[in-house]
Amino acid sequence: MSTQQAAPRSEAAQTRKAVGNILKGSAGNLVEWYDVYIYTAFSAYFASHFFSSKDPLQSNLEAMAVFAVTFLMRPIGSWFFGRFADRKGRKAALTLSVTMMSAGSFAIAILPTKEVIGVWALLLLILIRLIQGFSVGGEYGTSATYMSEAATSKRRGFFSSFQYVTLIGGQMLALLVLVILEQLLGKTALGEWGWRIPFLIGGVAALVVLWLRRSMEETISAEQTAAAAHAPAAGEAQPGTLKLLLTRHWRALLICIGVTLGGTVAFYTYTNFILSFMQNTSGIAKESSSQINFWALLIFMCLQPVYGMVSDRVGRKPLLLWFGILGVLCTWPLLSALSATKDPFVAFLLMMGGLLIVGGYTSINALVKAELFPSSIRALGVGLGYAVANSLFGGTVPLVGAAFQKAGQVEVFFTYVSVAIGISLLVYIFALKNKKPTHLDDEQGSAFGSPLVDKDSVRA
């Protein structure tokens, strides 16, 4: 067989292998994020069973406070699972995270309400959500790392975009379940007992993913696992440790946080908080706002691989600049117009406009972060950098937004989102270089055909 014939076959085999691993990795990501989002999607129906306030805005504020509190566990989960993944393997870490998420979903599905056990209902709900926050804190960094490593070198943008395909898909699936249950059960039954169904679905789906993930291929080397198992030499740091991250890769960690900050605020604004925003500020009915969110997120999800393919041609930085510049310029007009409309179709167009901008971040952010770190510290670096920014800024968006809603000052929230995006825009401009050789290029082949010239410089 000629070299010309062998090369295409080898490339095809690599692509098939990458597709299989990406599908197994992303299926778990889908379920994990579905379990995250069903809380906010159904909060309007179960809040009265756990929170004492009779005021819908106050009850929503309390429910969003619990949602925000769970984000405090994400840095801890990212540290634990990142260390675990860099030392024991990506597969083991991803399997453990989805197991914990499954257990949490089943627990909420059968959790007694305050009418039955009083304040213990709220305390148990918070505890379960903290465990799930711990789990999803590990899922993001590990899955971002795994998908970036499992992808073929020339299609990393395309393949890694499926992390947000499934992340958005999890939210879309939560909304689809919401729409279906609203139509089948009605508000009364959904508020009384039907809100338990989506949590039960999430638990069962996680068990299916647990079975699928058993056949995932590992992406870290046996040498890295062995190095983590033995005591380090004097002055050396083991893989997956904070010592290694903070002494040799602290600059990459800061860049990772900066890349994430504005993106996570914008993402949670346009995909999560916007449901409550439409209902409580725009005055759009719950059923209409749920359908608007579903169709907008469906289109947004399908666009992620398109953005990813564009990045494989033009590089990652142009897409981040698209998000940063338009995010700063358009956030205020889009949200202001949305707050003033009661027309569902206009609301859909405004939400879609915001999502088209945010797509420049969501489609490639996981890959951009993975490219900042070598394999020995990648899962911990990506996960912890994301979790710090996400916990402080992204996870608090529903709470901050709800507080400004209650105070009648939603315009201040528009400014908050714009400033957050502006901070990340500065990072994109000054800290990132387009098509710069990366650690993934060094380990698995160049994405843009430029070999690494100075390995130490990219690891600074």
Side-chain angles (χ1 to χ4, degrees):
M1 183 183 296
S2 67
T3 304
Q4 288 86 347
Q5 291 174 319
R9 291 189 180 181
S10 176
E11 183 177 344
Q14 290 177 354
T15 300
R16 287 194 298 270
K17 178 180 175 181
V19 169
N21 287 323
I22 293 294
L23 288 175
K24 292 169 186 175
S26 61
N29 204 45
L30 174 72
V31 172
E32 288 253 10
W33 290 97
Y34 164 81
D35 286 333
V36 169
Y37 289 127
I38 53 175
Y39 179 89
T40 52
F42 285 86
S43 62
Y45 292 103
F46 70 72
S48 62
H49 294 290
F50 297 96
F51 305 97
S52 58
S53 176
K54 302 298 182 182
D55 178 6
L57 280 177
Q58 179 62 32
S59 180
N60 180 65
L61 180 61
E62 293 172 355
M64 291 306 101
V66 172
F67 180 79
V69 165
T70 64
F71 278 72
L72 297 176
M73 293 299 293
R74 292 203 181 185
I76 302 174
S78 294
W79 165 77
F80 175 84
F81 282 99
R83 176 184 171 86
F84 191 85
D86 285 333
R87 296 169 66 82
K88 302 294 184 180
R90 320 305 191 204
K91 177 181 175 180
L94 288 170
T95 300
L96 178 59
S97 69
V98 78
T99 301
M100 295 181 67
M101 183 61 76
S102 173
S105 292
F106 280 125
I108 294 178
I110 63 173
L111 184 64
T113 64
K114 63 181 176 65
E115 288 81 11
V116 178
I117 58 174
V119 71
W120 284 104
L122 176 57
L123 295 177
L124 288 173
L125 176 64
I126 293 173
L127 176 62
I128 294 168
R129 291 295 296 173
L130 288 174
I131 293 172
Q132 290 188 311
F134 178 82
S135 169
V136 82
E139 176 70 20
Y140 177 90
T142 309
S143 65
T145 296
Y146 184 81
M147 291 187 190
S148 298
E149 293 172 342
T152 57
S153 61
K154 301 296 183 183
R155 297 180 181 177
R156 285 191 191 121
F158 172 75
F159 280 120
S160 64
S161 72
F162 280 87
Q163 188 194 33
Y164 262 75
V165 168
T166 50
L167 193 155
I168 299 163
Q171 183 166 4
M172 192 186 73
L173 184 59
L175 287 169
L176 177 61
V177 172
L178 174 61
V179 171
I180 292 173
L181 290 180
E182 284 176 338
Q183 297 298 319
L184 292 179
L185 299 181
K187 293 182 179 179
T188 302
L190 196 54
E192 290 178 354
W193 57 270
W195 59 269
R196 297 182 183 275
I197 296 175
F199 292 100
L200 182 62
I201 293 172
V204 173
L207 291 180
V208 174
V209 169
L210 181 62
W211 178 78
L212 286 174
R213 280 188 167 175
R214 296 186 309 165
S215 60
M216 288 172 59
E217 293 190 30
E218 185 54 68
T219 57
I220 68 170
S221 66
E223 290 78 9
Q224 181 172 322
T225 305
H230 294 87
E236 293 294 323
Q238 288 181 306
T241 59
L242 282 174
K243 178 180 178 181
L244 179 59
L245 179 63
L246 298 179
T247 57
R248 297 179 59 182
H249 303 283
W250 59 269
R251 183 175 180 273
L253 178 63
L254 292 179
I255 294 174
C256 184
I257 294 171
V259 166
T260 306
L261 192 156
T264 190
V265 169
F267 176 74
Y268 276 94
T269 297
Y270 284 108
T271 67
N272 192 286
F273 173 68
I274 203 165
L275 187 63
S276 171
F277 185 81
M278 287 182 183
Q279 294 169 1
N280 298 323
T281 298
S282 303
I284 298 173
K286 288 181 181 178
E287 293 83 355
S288 295
S289 61
S290 298
Q291 294 174 21
I292 290 168
N293 274 250
F294 174 78
W295 290 112
L297 287 174
L298 176 61
I299 297 172
F300 185 49
M301 180 184 71
C302 293
L303 286 174
Q304 299 304 300
V306 177
Y307 282 99
M309 286 190 289
V310 171
S311 80
D312 286 330
R313 293 293 186 90
V314 304
R316 324 300 179 203
K317 185 172 180 176
L319 273 74
L320 292 175
L321 293 178
W322 158 273
F323 158 67
I325 294 171
L326 291 183
V328 170
L329 294 178
C330 299
T331 293
W332 183 285
L334 284 172
L335 292 179
S336 179
L338 182 60
S339 68
T341 187
K342 295 185 182 297
D343 186 324
F345 182 68
V346 174
F348 167 78
L349 292 178
L350 292 169
M351 178 179 177
M352 201 66 244
L355 291 176
L356 289 174
I357 294 171
V358 179
Y361 164 81
T362 55
S363 57
I364 60 167
N365 81 95
L367 176 58
V368 170
K369 297 165 195 172
E371 290 177 332
L372 292 171
F373 301 94
S375 175
S376 60
I377 200 67
R378 184 170 293 132
L380 179 58
V382 173
L384 191 60
Y386 166 81
V388 169
N390 197 245
S391 299
L392 294 176
F393 302 100
T396 57
V397 163
L399 177 60
V400 172
F404 282 122
Q405 275 184 321
K406 193 171 187 301
Q409 296 180 330
V410 289
E411 294 84 0
V412 181
F413 177 70
F414 306 161
T415 302
Y416 171 75
V417 177
S418 300
V419 170
I421 297 173
I423 293 172
S424 283
L425 177 58
L426 295 176
V427 176
Y428 306 152
I429 293 173
F430 297 108
L432 300 178
K433 293 183 179 179
N434 199 37
K435 297 187 178 181
K436 178 182 179 180
T438 70
H439 290 285
L440 280 172
D441 291 329
D442 185 24
E443 297 162 4
Q444 301 180 3
S446 175
F448 300 106
S450 300
L452 283 173
V453 176
D454 182 1
K455 297 180 182 179
D456 292 332
S457 65
V458 298
R459 291 173 177 166

